[in-house]
Amino acid sequence: MSTMTLDIEPFDLEQTLDGGQAFRWHLSGDGSYCGVLESCVARVASDGLQVIVSCDSGGELLSETRERAEDYLQAGTDVDVVRRVLGSEPGFGESVTESPLVRVMRQEPWECLAAFICSQNSNIPRIKQMVAAVARLGRRIGEDEWAYEFPEPGVIAEVGEAYLRSVGLGYRAKHLSLTAQVVAGWGGGALASLRTVSYSDAKDALMELQGVGPKVADCVLAYSLDKGEAFPIDVHVRRAAIRLYDLDEDVKDDMVGEWARDRFGKFAAWAQLYMFRDEINRRLTS
DNA sequence: TCTACGCCTTACCT
DNA sequence: AAGGTAAGGCGTA
């Protein structure tokens, strides 16, 4: 077990790790979050001054483990720029400047894609359950019941739709099964290579896949493929955008996306996270 | 092409 | 306890 402090500003662990961009982090009693980083069982904690990551990576070099954690948490993001760009936005600007940041992370693309295929027409508890069931197809790397490497697409393709249905994916079983087949055929690294093409081309490529529409594609682009201009639009974000910026009630989602890219540029994904969270909180408190 | 609408599963809530 | 809701996408008309 290696423990390290990251040179990264303390952030909102709950909202970032467990707020709906990733689905495999578990809150433990001391306020830290446990989960899996590739083939490493990890714990992320914060004391308000620094971020502490503990990793059980089986004798791997500390420097590599650190690099992986910093990559996942996007330690290189200049959060001062985020504050400058989004800090004065109506409605959510204050939560950008006055509370711990919710960070856009950088997940492994296949796990991210599979998770968001599961996410459609569902809610976070259910998504977590589905993703956990899929994850159990991977290699076990620890004692905890969630400690599995996320399975390669070929593994998921092999178990087939019926199995995925039997563990609760419902009609999403077909989508994940077919998409796993296609992605397995692409070969390793093909998904990640979408990081090097334009937002628009990468989105088109993703939307060829079964179960991947504009929303799911944007989630994968934003949370795993470095596309800061992705702006995943669901009912909540749509409602928030219309209310905060006085957009037309029946504006098309495509238009909202273009509007967001125009206004927020490479920080659209960050803006979406804040708008989503604030809209959820607003509904809960009213 | 473009839009509208019914349908698909099920955990979790009231 | 029954019924509505939930971070959508697909197929058809």
Side-chain angles (χ1 to χ4, degrees):
Chain A
M1 176 73 73
S2 52
T3 298
M4 64 200 95
T5 58
L6 299 190
D7 182 19
I8 179 176
E9 184 179 307
F11 56 95
D12 188 325
L13 293 183
E14 180 189 0
Q15 288 297 324
T16 302
L17 296 170
D18 201 18
Q21 55 177 314
F23 302 96
R24 291 226 287 154
W25 290 97
H26 302 261
L27 177 63
S28 50
D30 60 0
S32 66
Y33 280 83
C34 296
V36 175
L37 283 180
E38 291 177 33
S39 47
C40 148
V41 172
R43 175 187 297 274
V44 182
S46 171
D47 58 7
L49 297 173
Q50 47 189 192
V51 176
I52 302 110
V53 176
S54 314
C55 250
D56 185 354
S57 48
E60 190 178 72
L61 282 177
L62 179 62
S63 59
E64 289 180 14
T65 306
R66 170 184 289 275
E67 214 167 291
R68 172 169 322 136
E70 287 175 341
D71 182 62
Y72 186 87
L73 297 173
Q74 289 287 275
T77 301
D78 188 338
V79 295
D80 289 330
V81 173
V82 176
R83 287 202 182 83
R84 205 177 311 142
V85 174
L86 301 179
S88 54
E89 290 298 327
F92 65 92
E94 287 183 2
S95 45
V96 175
T97 53
E98 293 173 13
S99 25
L101 287 171
V102 183
R103 304 181 69 90
V104 174
M105 300 187 290
R106 188 185 202 235
Q107 301 177 56
E108 195 286 311
W110 168 242
E111 175 171 346
C112 187
L113 172 58
F116 280 99
I117 285 175
C118 293
S119 79
Q120 77 164 271
N121 203 15
S122 194
N123 48 38
I124 289 181
R126 174 128 195 254
I127 299 166
K128 284 183 170 183
Q129 179 177 292
M130 291 187 278
V131 174
V134 173
R136 274 190 282 275
L137 294 167
R139 185 169 66 94
R140 185 153 204 176
I141 54 173
E143 307 249 317
D144 298 286
E145 76 277 15
W146 43 262
Y148 293 85
E149 236 174 323
F150 197 78
E152 294 296 319
V155 174
I156 298 176
E158 206 160 317
V159 298
E161 176 185 341
Y163 174 81
L164 296 173
R165 194 170 276 270
S166 76
V167 294
L169 297 219
Y171 61 90
R172 305 163 195 82
K174 183 179 183 181
H175 298 157
L176 183 59
S177 179
L178 290 171
T179 290
Q181 285 179 41
V182 172
V183 175
W186 286 355
L191 259 186
S193 73
L194 293 177
R195 284 173 173 153
T196 65
V197 309
S198 73
Y199 164 74
S200 174
D201 287 350
K203 187 168 185 176
D204 288 345
L206 288 175
M207 286 179 60
E208 294 291 315
L209 299 165
Q210 282 293 315
V212 183
K215 160 66 166 62
V216 170
D218 271 334
C219 287
V220 176
L221 292 163
Y223 309 147
S224 77
L225 295 176
D226 303 338
K227 299 294 183 272
E229 62 270 56
F231 190 75
I233 300 166
D234 59 69
V235 54
H236 302 290
V237 169
R238 178 187 165 80
R239 183 158 33 225
I242 290 173
R243 179 170 49 82
L244 297 175
Y245 296 92
D246 200 31
L247 305 184
D248 194 290
E249 282 288 346
D250 32 48
V251 60
K252 302 297 175 207
D253 284 352
D254 283 352
M255 282 298 134
V256 180
E258 285 181 32
W259 163 85
R261 270 178 282 293
D262 188 49
R263 182 169 186 106
F264 305 122
K266 299 290 272 183
F267 298 96
W270 280 76
Q272 183 266 354
L273 246 31
Y274 281 93
M275 290 170 74
F276 176 75
R277 183 187 64 164
D278 284 5
E279 188 66 18
I280 293 285
N281 289 342
R282 192 183 161 82
R283 285 170 68 78
L284 292 178
T285 59
S286 64

